[in-house]
Amino acid sequence: MATKQSMLALTVIAASLLSACVKAETPATDALFPACLKGAESAVAQPLALELALTANERSRGLMHRESLPETQGMLFVYPDTQYLSFWMYNTRIPLDIAYLNHDFEIMEIQAMAPCTSALSSLCPSYPASQPVMMALEVNQGQFANWGVSVGDRLYNASCESPLEVSELWSFRNESATQTSAQEQGQ
C-alpha cells in the first residue's frame, strides 16, 4: 500500500514540475516582428506584432498554456519547405484563427480553431491545410474577420509597402538575439 501512495505522490510531483517547465509564456526573445496584413487591392492595412516560431521547438510550443493574446498580436510559424501543415489545440487555451500562407506570404485559407479541453492529445481535433503551404499565422479567433482580412490577402513589412521575404524574419531574429545578448552582458 505504501508503494502505491509513493508512486502517486511521485506522479503528482513529476506532473507539477513538468507543467512548470512547459508554461513559458514569452517568446525566445522579447522582440516582436512588426508586420501588416492587407489585400493587393485594399487601402486598408492591419498592423501586427508577431512572435516568430522559426525553430522546431518554437513551432512545437506555439501558443500553448497562454491565457490571452493581445488584439493586434499573433504568432507566425515558418517551415523550411512547402508542405501539408496541420495544427491542433492541445494545451492551447485561447480560441484562435489560423491562416495558412504560401511562400509569398499570401493567405491561402483561414480556419477557426477551438481550444481542446482533453487531457489526452490524441482526442484533440486537428486543423489541416487543404493544400501545401509554408507558413501559418495564428491570431485571436474572429480577428481576421474583424480586420476584413481574407484569402488572397498578404503579410507585408511594417510599412505595408512590400511583401515580406523569409530572410527578413531570420535577420530580425538574429538582430534581436544580438541586442538581447549585448544588453545582458552590459548588466
Side-chain angles (χ1 to χ4, degrees):
M1 295 291 187
T3 305
K4 286 183 181 180
Q5 290 175 341
S6 298
M7 291 300 289
L8 178 60
L10 287 174
T11 302
V12 170
I13 291 169
S16 297
L17 290 173
L18 181 59
S19 175
C21 292
V22 172
K23 288 188 180 179
E25 298 245 354
T26 56
T29 66
D30 290 335
L32 297 172
F33 185 83
C36 102
L37 278 168
K38 74 173 190 169
E41 307 298 320
S42 174
V44 178
Q46 175 58 51
L48 291 174
L50 301 176
E51 291 182 50
L52 300 177
L54 303 177
T55 67
N57 284 341
E58 291 167 344
R59 291 188 301 262
S60 178
R61 182 176 55 246
L63 293 170
M64 286 182 172
H65 303 288
R66 306 271 182 105
E67 297 297 331
S68 64
L69 184 66
E71 186 175 307
T72 58
Q73 193 169 314
M75 181 173 273
L76 181 65
F77 298 78
V78 181
Y79 292 80
D81 300 303
T82 297
Q83 58 191 290
Y84 283 95
L85 296 178
S86 185
F87 279 61
W88 64 349
M89 297 287 285
Y90 181 63
N91 285 331
T92 305
R93 300 175 179 138
I94 311 164
L96 299 171
D97 278 347
I98 187 166
Y100 288 110
L101 295 83
N102 68 13
H103 64 282
D104 289 326
F105 292 85
E106 179 183 356
I107 296 175
M108 306 308 289
E109 66 186 276
I110 297 173
Q111 298 180 32
M113 301 188 301
C116 179
T117 57
S118 176
L120 300 173
S121 62
S122 61
L123 297 179
C124 294
S126 62
Y127 301 89
S130 64
Q131 59 193 300
V133 291
M134 190 175 172
M135 292 168 261
L137 173 60
E138 291 180 343
V139 298
N140 286 312
Q141 195 170 84
Q143 283 303 101
F144 288 128
N146 291 344
W147 299 329
V149 171
S150 60
V151 171
D153 290 354
R154 280 204 160 130
L155 197 55
Y156 285 77
N157 63 10
S159 68
C160 296
E161 293 177 7
S162 60
L164 288 171
E165 300 283 333
V166 172
S167 61
E168 292 177 71
L169 304 174
W170 284 102
S171 294
F172 178 83
R173 168 62 61 81
N174 291 336
E175 289 170 17
S176 296
T178 301
Q179 290 173 357
T180 301
S181 177
Q183 289 172 353
E184 288 172 355
Q185 289 176 3
Q187 291 181 1

